[in-house]
Amino acid sequence: VAMTTNGILLDRYADVLKAAGLTRLNISLDTLDREKFIQLTRRDELAGVLEGIAAARRAEFERIKLNALAVRGVSEDDVVPLGRFARKNRLELRFIEFMPLDGDRQWHRGQVLPGEEILEILGRGIGPLAPISRNGSHAPATQYRFVDGGGCVGMIPSITQPFCAECDRLRLTSDGKIRNCLFSRESYDVLSLMRGGGSDEQLAGLIRAAVGAKKNARGTDSGEFVRCGRSMHQIGG
């Protein structure tokens, strides 16, 4: 069982969550610079997040990943410090290309910092990386390991190298809807079906319908970006 979190309350609840059966954590951390953290998250909580990460390590979760959003003109100076932080603390680090799921609806393609460029920055600043074989994995991240054995880094190049043809993910949102793609403009109402007395067969049919309606790429048949109308924090799940 995994949870994605901003990490702010982990110092208080890491042990409780571990005892309750949580095994994996995905923690958002875009920068180690306090002023930039405030700019990006609109809150002065970097110290709390770092304390939460330390508490999660002490609780010995099976797997802890750091998710870093990569934005051109913002993130270049953070790539190497985040890489070093992850290596030092034996954490997995994943960089996610900036997608048009921002609440301010200001996204444009020029803000995308490509995964290939991030790899070059890490190579120059820390050391060379080599790709790790996917072995049939449908996970969104492409993994690389530092040649010196000092950990690994994942790239989610959803803009420059879309992986839609291999994607087998569905998302159950926080308000009880199934989305077959983050960019999809359609959703399937599981909550109403279940609370309305729907049968297991009807539920299975709804899930099959959601899978069967997956589009060619990025939520459309053409592969062109069409804003889904909700930002990432509104989608949740």
Side-chain angles (χ1 to χ4, degrees), residues 59-76:
E60 297 183 342
F61 279 89
E62 179 182 304
R63 198 172 184 184
I64 303 173
K65 295 180 183 178
L66 302 180
N67 288 341
L69 184 65
V71 183
R72 183 176 293 285
V74 177
S75 303
E76 288 90 341

Side-chain angles (χ1 to χ4, degrees), residues 1 4 9 57 85 94 157-158 160 207 228:
V1 179
T4 298
L9 299 180
R57 293 187 65 229
F85 178 80
R94 297 192 304 184
S158 49
T160 60
I207 294 172
C228 70

Side-chain angles (χ1 to χ4, degrees), residues 3 9-22 25 51-52 54-61:
M3 180 176 74
L9 299 180
L10 272 180
D11 63 325
R12 190 184 311 174
Y13 294 113
D15 289 330
V16 176
L17 291 167
K18 178 71 183 304
L22 192 69
L25 286 168
E51 290 170 5
R57 293 187 65 229
R58 290 193 299 270
E60 297 183 342
F61 279 89

Side-chain angles (χ1 to χ4, degrees), residues 207-224:
I207 294 172
R208 281 195 297 269
V211 173
K214 283 176 75 74
K215 300 295 186 181
N216 183 52
R218 296 163 174 162
T220 66
D221 287 323
S222 66
E224 294 298 318

